[in-house]
Amino acid sequence: MPFRIDPPRSFKDLFEGGCTAAGMFLNSGDAGVAEICAGSGLDYLLIDGEHGPMGLESVLDQLRAIAGYPPVALVRVPANDPVVIKQFLDIGAQSLIVPMVHNADQARQAVEATQYPPEGVRGVGAALARSARWNRVPDYLARANDFISLLVQVESVEAVANTAAIAATEGIDGIFIGPADMAATMGLLGQQDHPEVVESVMRVIRTVKAQGKIVGVNAFQEPQARAYAEAGADFINVGADVALLARGSEALAAKYCRGAAKGTPAPASY
């Protein structure tokens, strides 16, 4: 008799209690770092396949490292590509963020990539894949959508204007807001805390909440994170492994190394 199992909880299951969830980016690509962060008490960990130096194998290693701990593993795929999304799903990344989604058509493409025919275009390989635990998840093909959480990233002026249509797309569970790219498309590169950028973020939060979908945002500065939480954000990405290591090592150098005070100031937070 084969062992029967269900996958761990999906990202959308975090929000049954109504509290704002807090998580962080994993950008190093290192499974050991992922496991250290997995024991931190955060609600979720966001493995960044878009900007981190990682491929399928390193994402798989991080998923396995996190699996024995409470946080939900969320994966940002590198592109809105059905082949890429299929591969990430098959290795067991069941909670996804798809970046650079600017309109409802692109949102529908992301949905189709996560669903089996006839609703979508996901290739069928459950017997060969960790997603179905190699056919040990009962009725995986019929139940796959129950396990998958799909969020798309709103991070441009165009996407802000189209937020209502993007959020209303059937199969989209939520929106993740990217203030950095949003600021860039507004001609405010590197100014995520500019009042116009903040207002655009607030506008997206209000629009998505009105659609009854999950909405979250990246905010490394505590006052900004608190403000977005008070505005109704369901989850806040409050840090990154590489940023914590960079700022922590700089603090040690400033405390103990001669001449450190004369060094160049740290760059603005992400």
Side-chain angles (χ1 to χ4, degrees):
M1 176 73 70
F3 186 66
R4 313 301 281 179
I5 189 172
D6 272 355
R9 62 181 178 160
S10 186
F11 187 70
K12 59 192 174 187
D13 299 327
L14 274 179
F15 304 99
E16 296 171 352
C19 296
T20 302
M24 64 179 286
F25 272 128
L26 297 178
N27 281 85
S28 68
D30 186 87
V33 171
E35 185 169 9
I36 292 169
C37 295
S40 65
L42 288 166
D43 297 304
Y44 69 90
L45 298 173
L46 202 174
I47 301 169
D48 190 5
E50 183 188 18
H51 290 294
M54 59 189 82
L56 290 171
E57 292 83 359
S58 58
V59 171
L60 175 57
D61 287 343
Q62 291 172 83
L63 289 171
R64 286 171 169 162
I66 296 168
Y69 295 86
V72 172
L74 181 62
V75 177
R76 181 159 68 176
V77 300
N80 190 4
D81 182 303
V83 174
V84 172
I85 291 171
K86 172 182 63 179
Q87 290 178 307
F88 275 80
L89 287 171
D90 280 352
I91 64 170
Q94 60 191 39
S95 300
L96 303 181
I97 291 178
V98 177
M100 296 292 178
V101 170
H102 306 298
N103 54 57
D105 286 339
Q106 292 174 348
R108 280 190 290 272
Q109 291 169 13
V111 172
E112 289 173 357
T114 68
Q115 297 185 354
Y116 290 121
E119 290 80 11
V121 297
R122 180 183 176 186
V124 181
L128 311 174
R130 182 175 181 266
S131 57
R133 299 306 188 267
W134 305 278
N135 262 359
R136 289 172 179 158
V137 176
D139 303 316
Y140 177 82
L141 294 178
R143 301 167 61 210
N145 291 344
D146 295 338
F147 306 127
I148 293 171
S149 294
L150 176 61
L151 294 90
V152 296
Q153 193 152 338
V154 166
E155 49 187 333
S156 68
V157 171
E158 179 186 358
V160 172
N162 292 325
T163 296
I166 293 170
T169 302
E170 186 174 358
I172 297 293
D173 294 300
I175 301 293
F176 182 53
I177 306 166
D181 281 292
M182 184 184 292
T185 69
M186 296 171 68
L188 299 166
L189 183 64
Q191 301 180 59
Q192 295 90 281
D193 58 350
H194 190 283
E196 293 180 22
V197 178
V198 173
E199 175 51 36
S200 290
V201 172
M202 294 293 193
R203 174 183 167 189
V204 173
I205 291 172
R206 292 191 297 267
T207 301
V208 178
K209 295 293 286 184
Q211 294 281 354
K213 301 289 181 75
I214 301 163
V215 61
V217 62
N218 205 54
F220 285 10
Q221 298 297 324
E222 184 177 354
Q224 197 75 79
R226 299 286 185 190
Y228 290 147
E230 291 174 4
D234 297 293
F235 66 99
I236 312 284
N237 220 47
V238 294
D241 56 351
V242 292
L244 291 172
L245 181 59
R247 302 295 85 78
S249 59
E250 289 162 5
L252 287 174
K255 184 180 294 186
Y256 295 109
C257 296
R258 286 178 290 177
K262 297 179 182 179
T264 56
S269 63
Y270 178 73

